[in-house]
């Protein structure tokens, strides 16, 4: 016997109803309801169980919340879906855990070579030199003994480095005579021979030429990522770097999924600047993407200004605590960065610039400030990661209406090393300065930068509220925000970053019926437990697209 009657006649019945729990709408007033109804993928009613139940008809899909909590589907404001999917399918997991030493990674490479035979490319992802007991990058000297006839490439967890064995270096033509590319570095030993470590743009000399990254493989990678997003309540993703891994082939993979109707996560794309036709001449063109719409929209362009703090390539105004004479590196000259920003702005593109170090952030803000007042232009330019933004820089961001997507999970995953190794205590306590940004009215989203850190938004919300590191220290408690503010960083405020706040990010009449159903209400319990809550179901456009076995549905 069904728990809910079906009184509505066909002409007024909803396609989808969720009721029987808590619906936290995340609207401006913070409305909390009992249920909602949707028709044609859009919300048509939000109210009490009794009100919503009147819209249940013979063909209505009913999701029984059974005391659980529905939120807007999470919006991940900075991710790399193709890269993520490739890591899920890779033969070597080089991360820590499970690896404790370089030798552990080498053992996994040896097994992959044995499984695949000589000559086949072996790829591994997620190694982190700062978590290995050796406290160093692997080298070709480590890899060569187990891979004398197979090219091997291991990509750093940050995505800013890779390590190639001798076969891979020979295959792509990197020798002692190869010069460092602009914005990159080829690490060399005392004899001038490449060690295998390739930094920033030098890594692209290998990763851009990996075989088997055609449409079929990238399509499969996107589908693998898609499933993981939905399992974590993520219904929308900002792909901040379309083409970063597969070049123009990534666009073809998206088009293939759109034509097949298989892309379930709504994706907002930011094309890597190197793929923008005409940008070098100052006349950027918008590429045609057949089939674009609610499932995929090319929103803007991604530019990378500097590297990563944990790789000591993030560009800092003051030197690294562990190496005071090192300031990191700009991947683009500030004047060239400003020129690209101006050209893209004039062409109507939204611009998203990667900036970790405060010197890079200063150059990005300078570029945006030269555009003049944003009032009335609809301009929503962004700084990605924005990890070490100073108070004076946040003042300038507020003055020029510059938005931010903060990589909040840095606090947990690298906070201890930022404090003890890279930045020192005072600079480290200010990474991801959410409270300071919020006090100035700066719109910001939160992100995981997956595959750099795991997807779950609940973990990111916990990081924003608790600011606890791996070692258990609270890092900069004055920069913590409320649960409500953190939830908004993954819902309505993240939607604002892409100009989609009228379409998604809150559960209001007329908006998309995108929901994440959680085991408990994150706003009413112990904030320390937020990361331990589970996603029970994910709804996209009024359709249950992912559910645990115990998520009850009438039909």
């Amino acid at each position: 016997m069904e728990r809910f009657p079906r009184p509505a006649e066909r002409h007024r019945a909803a396609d989808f109803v969720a009721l029987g729990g808590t619906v936290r709408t995340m609207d401006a007033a913070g409305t909390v309801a009992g249920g909602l109804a949707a028709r044609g993928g859009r919300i048509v009613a939000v109210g009490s169980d009794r009100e919503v139940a009147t819209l249940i008809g013979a063909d209505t899909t009913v999701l029984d919340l059974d005391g659980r909590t529905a939120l807007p589907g999470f919006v991940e404001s900075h991710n790399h879906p193709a890269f993520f999917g490739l890591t899920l399918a890779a033969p070597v997991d080089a991360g820590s855990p499970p690896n404790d030493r370089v030798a552990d990674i080498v053992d996994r490479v040896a097994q992959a070579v044995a499984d695949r035979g000589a000559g086949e490319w072996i790829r591994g992802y997620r190694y982190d030199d700062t978590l290995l007991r050796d406290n160093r990058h692997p080298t070709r000297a480590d890899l060569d003994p187990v891979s004398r006839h197979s090219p091997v490439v291991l990509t750093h967890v940050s995505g800013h480095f890779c390590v190639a064995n001798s076969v891979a270096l020979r295959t792509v033509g990197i020798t002692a005579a190869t010069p460092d590319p602009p914005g990159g570095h080829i690490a060399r030993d005392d004899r001038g021979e490449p060690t295998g470590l390739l930094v920033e743009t030098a890594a692209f000399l290998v990763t851009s030429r990996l075989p088997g990254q055609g449409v079929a493989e990238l399509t499969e990678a996107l589908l693998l990522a898609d499933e993981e997003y939905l399992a974590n309540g993520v219904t929308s993703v900002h792909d901040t770097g379309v083409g970063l891994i597969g070049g123009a082939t990534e666009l073809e993979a998206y088009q293939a999924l759109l034509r097949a109707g298989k892309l379930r996560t709504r994706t907002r794309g930011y094309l890597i600047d190197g793929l923008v036709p005409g940008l070098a001449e100052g006349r950027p063109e918008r590429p045609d993407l057949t089939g674009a719409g609610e499932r995929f929209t090319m929103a803007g362009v991604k530019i990378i200004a500097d590297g990563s703090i944990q790789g000591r390539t993030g560009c800092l105004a003051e030197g690294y605590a562990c190496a005071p004479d090192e300031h990191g590196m700009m991947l683009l000259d500030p004047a060239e960065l400003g020129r690209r920003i101006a050209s893209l702005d004039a062409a109507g593109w939204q611009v998203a610039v990667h900036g970790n170090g405060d010197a890079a952030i200063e150059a990005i803000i300078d570029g945006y400030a030269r555009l003049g007042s944003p009032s009335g232009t609809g301009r929503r330019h962004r700084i990605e990661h924005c990890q070490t933004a100073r108070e004076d820089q946040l003042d300038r961001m507020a003055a020029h209406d510059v938005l931010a997507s903060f990589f909040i999970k840095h606090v947990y995953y690298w906070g201890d090393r930022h404090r003890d190794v890279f930045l020192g205590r005072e600079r480290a306590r200010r990474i991801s300065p959410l409270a300071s940004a919020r006090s100035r009215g700066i719109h910001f989203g939160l992100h995981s930068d997956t595959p750099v850190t795991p997807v779950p938004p609940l973990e990111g919300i916990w990081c924003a509220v608790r600011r606890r590191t791996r070692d258990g220290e609270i890092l900069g408690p004055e920069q913590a925000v409320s649960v409500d503010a953190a939830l908004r960083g993954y819902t309505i405020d993240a939607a604002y970053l892409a100009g989609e706040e009228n379409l998604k990010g809150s559960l209001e009449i007329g908006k998309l019926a995108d929901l994440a159903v959680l085991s408990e209400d994150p706003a009413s319990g112990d904030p320390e437990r937020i990361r331990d809550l589970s996603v029970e179901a994910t709804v996209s456009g009024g359709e249950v697209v992912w559910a645990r076995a115990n998520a009850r549905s009438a039909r």
Side-chain angles (χ1 to χ4, degrees):
M1 183 175 178
E2 288 188 327
R3 181 179 174 190
F4 301 104
R6 297 176 173 271
E9 297 179 3
R10 187 179 298 274
H11 71 276
R12 67 179 302 271
D15 299 331
F16 169 83
V17 162
L19 74 172
T22 299
V23 175
R24 192 165 288 280
T25 67
M26 303 309 300
D27 66 5
T31 303
V32 177
L36 62 79
R39 188 181 300 116
R42 301 290 184 118
I43 297 170
V44 295
V46 179
S48 67
D49 281 355
R50 178 176 296 181
E51 293 168 330
V52 170
T54 64
L55 297 176
I56 300 175
D59 298 320
T60 303
T61 296
V62 179
L63 178 62
D64 183 359
L65 296 177
D66 197 23
R68 290 170 282 214
T69 297
L71 293 167
F74 294 125
V75 178
E76 233 298 350
S77 61
H78 184 113
N79 248 231
H80 302 285
F83 184 17
F84 179 32
L86 288 174
T87 68
L88 293 172
V92 176
D93 180 357
S96 298
N99 301 290
D100 191 47
R101 298 177 183 275
V102 170
D104 298 332
I105 299 174
V106 173
D107 287 344
R108 290 175 180 267
V109 171
Q111 185 60 55
V113 170
D115 290 344
R116 284 160 177 76
E120 184 171 341
W121 281 80
I122 303 298
R123 288 178 289 183
Y125 294 95
R126 298 198 315 114
Y127 88 84
D128 186 344
D129 55 302
T130 68
L131 285 179
L132 294 168
R133 287 185 183 271
D134 314 74
N135 195 33
R136 65 174 177 85
H137 296 271
T139 66
R140 66 181 178 126
D142 298 308
L143 299 173
D144 284 354
V146 300
S147 57
R148 295 194 182 280
H149 304 290
S150 298
V152 177
V153 178
L154 303 177
T155 300
H156 192 266
V157 66
S158 69
H160 288 260
F161 312 87
C162 77
V163 175
N165 73 345
S166 293
V167 180
L169 292 173
R170 285 198 303 270
T171 301
V172 301
I174 295 177
T175 69
T178 304
D180 287 349
H185 173 62
I186 300 170
R188 305 171 197 270
D189 62 20
D190 293 340
R191 297 172 300 153
E193 293 291 335
T195 66
L197 176 63
L198 305 170
V199 180
E200 299 297 348
T201 58
F204 298 151
L205 298 176
V206 173
T207 58
S208 64
R209 295 180 59 182
L210 287 173
Q213 290 185 172
V215 174
E217 185 173 24
L218 290 174
T219 298
E220 181 60 28
L222 290 171
L223 287 174
L224 288 172
D226 189 65
E227 181 67 21
E228 287 297 310
Y229 292 135
L230 296 178
N232 286 283
V234 176
T235 54
S236 292
V237 172
H238 297 179
D239 185 338
T240 45
V242 177
L244 189 61
I245 296 297
T249 308
E250 278 188 49
L251 281 173
E252 295 178 45
Y254 271 119
Q255 288 176 313
L257 288 177
L258 290 168
R259 287 193 298 267
K262 292 183 177 180
L263 187 65
R264 296 177 297 171
T265 307
R266 305 182 196 278
T267 304
R268 192 84 168 169
Y270 292 81
L271 188 66
I272 198 70
D273 60 333
L275 292 181
V276 178
L279 179 57
E281 296 76 31
R283 297 185 299 277
E285 302 171 13
R286 187 180 296 270
D288 177 45
L289 184 64
T290 304
E294 283 188 356
R295 291 293 165 187
F296 187 99
T297 302
M298 190 63 79
V301 173
K302 164 77 171 293
I303 302 173
I304 303 176
D306 72 341
S308 72
I309 301 298
Q310 54 268 36
R312 294 191 350 215
T313 54
C315 194
L316 296 171
E318 297 180 12
Y320 281 83
C322 56
D325 293 334
E326 292 185 18
H327 291 257
M329 59 194 300
M330 288 291 292
L331 303 191
L332 280 176
D333 177 80
E336 174 62 16
L337 173 63
R339 189 191 69 79
R340 294 189 188 189
I341 287 173
S343 294
L344 291 166
D345 176 78
W349 284 96
Q350 184 187 18
V351 184
V353 186
H354 163 122
N356 272 311
D358 59 334
I361 291 169
E362 187 77 6
I364 298 167
I365 297 172
D366 285 345
Y368 289 150
R370 294 190 189 100
L371 300 177
S373 171
S375 178
T377 65
R379 184 186 300 147
R380 293 192 182 181
H381 298 325
R382 307 165 39 159
I383 299 178
E384 305 303 301
H385 309 319
C386 207
Q387 189 176 173
T388 58
R390 305 186 306 259
E391 294 291 307
D392 63 299
Q393 292 176 330
L394 294 172
D395 287 338
R396 295 185 69 203
M397 289 173 65
H400 294 285
D401 200 20
V402 177
L403 314 181
S405 180
F406 285 111
F407 189 176
I408 187 58
K409 294 191 182 186
H410 266 128
V411 174
Y412 176 73
Y413 285 96
W414 284 283
D416 298 305
R417 284 164 286 161
H418 282 358
R419 179 194 65 227
D420 300 335
V421 179
F422 302 120
L423 297 175
R425 182 167 292 274
E426 289 309 308
R427 281 188 294 179
R429 70 183 295 134
R430 293 202 71 263
I431 63 171
S432 298
L434 304 190
S436 290
R438 189 166 178 80
S439 71
R440 290 164 170 80
I442 295 172
H443 284 90
F444 63 80
L446 303 175
H447 69 257
S448 65
D449 199 18
T450 301
V452 178
T453 66
V455 173
L458 287 166
E459 181 180 63
I461 292 162
W462 172 82
C463 287
V465 173
R466 299 298 295 143
R467 291 187 68 91
R468 191 178 298 281
T469 69
R470 283 196 195 212
D471 288 352
E473 180 173 326
I474 304 299
L475 188 68
E478 67 278 3
Q479 292 299 340
V481 294
S482 68
V483 175
D484 180 76
L487 287 171
R488 291 179 183 279
Y490 268 106
T491 56
I492 187 64
D493 289 346
Y496 183 91
L497 262 61
E500 296 184 314
E501 72 275 13
N502 294 321
L503 180 68
K504 62 180 69 165
S506 63
L507 301 177
E508 301 180 73
I509 292 174
K511 290 192 175 184
L512 293 168
D514 293 355
L515 288 74
V517 179
L518 309 183
S519 55
E520 299 176 32
D521 185 353
S524 64
D526 179 3
E528 192 64 49
R529 293 187 58 247
I530 291 174
R531 72 185 305 210
D532 299 322
L533 304 183
S534 62
V535 175
E536 299 294 298
T538 304
V539 178
S540 179
E543 177 185 355
V544 179
V545 290
W546 184 90
R548 293 189 186 278
N550 62 344
R552 292 171 54 185
S553 178
R555 58 183 296 141

